[in-house]
Amino acid sequence: MSRTFEDLIAEAEAVSVDGWDFSWLDGRATEERPSWGYQRLLGERLATASAALDIQTGGGEVLAGARPAGFPPAMVATESWPPNIAKATRLLHPLGAVVVADPDEPPLPFADEAFDLVTSRHPATVWWAEIARVLKPGGTYFAQHVGPASVFELVEYFLGPQPEAREGRHPDRESADARAAGLEVVDLRSERLRVEFSDIGAVVYFLRKVIWMVPGFTVDAYRDRLRELDARIRAEGPFVAHSARFLIEARK
């Protein structure tokens, strides 16, 4: 690698991390994709829905990419982070979807039984009672969630062992919470997937974008650890971690 540590860090600090598009990492990091193909399955479900809600849509990229011949007659997406709200609005409004600013806290700003399909990809929080409330009888929640200890090889490199955090986001617990809210879980699949970071700039970009992985992450706060990791990648090759994903489908 000919580029210096400082060059890679400066580049990764300067690039925008708005939205949920990771194409900046092309050629610099890789992540295996779940075998089920969430975006394709999402498109199939949107094609038969009459009113759909996508929760925590990010910059709207996944929803836009899943769009079949057209969105349902009523298509709404929520998002909390202002830069993502603006990006999702620019992307989704021309396609016929309304973007609603929402703080990701109960209640959802919609009437009871407003949607026959509620979706989400990698929600940071899941309010099952609210999902059940806004679903029509017979409606479906269809989502891909982040599973337990996802990319924790990287998290624990910076934060040290996180035994309690490793127990969070377990699909068995999520499915139990869905049932407690009155939903029937009809599909639940889990996979762990290989992730590789090929340079230190990719690590910095990832941690700036996925802000809950190392809360409060800044280059200045972790410069020594970053420099050590840069040396390790140059000597040994890509830093390897494993993401956790699960697909859940629940019916009211």
Side-chain angles (χ1 to χ4, degrees):
M1 186 183 300
S2 59
R3 301 182 64 192
T4 68
F5 169 79
E6 296 296 345
D7 285 345
L8 293 168
I9 291 291
E11 179 188 29
E13 278 193 295
V15 69
S16 171
V17 291
D18 293 352
W20 212 237
D21 176 5
F22 285 81
S23 60
W24 188 85
L25 291 174
D26 290 352
R28 310 178 72 155
T30 61
E31 180 182 356
E32 288 183 296
R33 296 301 179 194
S35 61
W36 48 76
Y38 173 74
Q39 195 171 54
R40 174 183 57 82
L41 295 176
L42 174 59
E44 292 174 0
R45 283 154 180 77
L46 288 170
T48 61
S50 60
L53 167 65
D54 191 55
I55 297 174
Q56 299 178 37
T57 198
E61 300 91 348
V62 174
L63 182 60
R67 189 172 68 107
F71 280 138
M75 182 74 243
V76 183
T78 65
E79 176 55 33
S80 62
W81 194 40
N84 277 352
I85 294 168
K87 186 168 185 178
T89 298
R90 290 192 299 270
L91 179 60
L92 295 175
H93 273 201
L95 302 178
V98 175
V99 178
V100 175
D102 177 71
D104 293 340
E105 296 178 357
L108 286 166
F110 307 107
D112 295 358
E113 301 181 2
F115 303 98
D116 57 327
L117 178 65
V118 176
T119 64
S120 193
R121 181 180 179 272
H122 302 175
T125 52
V126 183
W127 306 103
W128 287 108
E130 281 299 288
I131 290 166
R133 180 183 67 79
V134 301
L135 276 173
K136 296 176 182 179
T140 295
Y141 176 71
F142 180 73
Q144 180 174 294
H145 290 193
V146 175
S150 188
V151 200
F152 259 43
E153 295 93 338
L154 187 64
V155 170
E156 293 183 335
Y157 175 84
F158 289 98
L159 299 180
Q162 304 287 303
E164 291 186 11
R166 279 184 167 274
E167 300 302 313
R169 297 177 175 265
H170 198 284
D172 290 347
R173 187 175 300 123
E174 291 281 325
S175 58
D177 290 344
R179 288 191 290 270
L183 303 177
E184 177 191 3
V185 177
V186 297
D187 195 3
L188 184 66
R189 309 181 222 173
S190 302
E191 292 182 0
R192 292 193 71 81
L193 305 150
R194 185 180 177 93
V195 180
E196 294 186 0
F197 297 92
S198 297
D199 68 65
I200 200 64
V203 171
V204 169
Y205 176 86
F206 178 80
L207 293 178
R208 289 183 60 226
K209 196 174 187 74
V210 190
I211 57 176
W212 53 87
M213 301 301 289
V214 178
F217 173 83
T218 64
V219 168
D220 286 344
Y222 290 97
R223 186 173 293 274
D224 289 345
R225 288 296 278 164
L226 288 166
R227 194 178 293 279
E228 291 170 10
L229 184 54
D230 176 65
R232 173 174 163 181
I233 291 172
R234 291 174 190 270
E236 301 176 9
F239 181 90
V240 177
H242 296 84
S243 64
R245 301 286 182 262
F246 66 92
L247 185 79
I248 185 166
E249 186 166 15
R251 225 164 264 150
K252 183 172 178 180

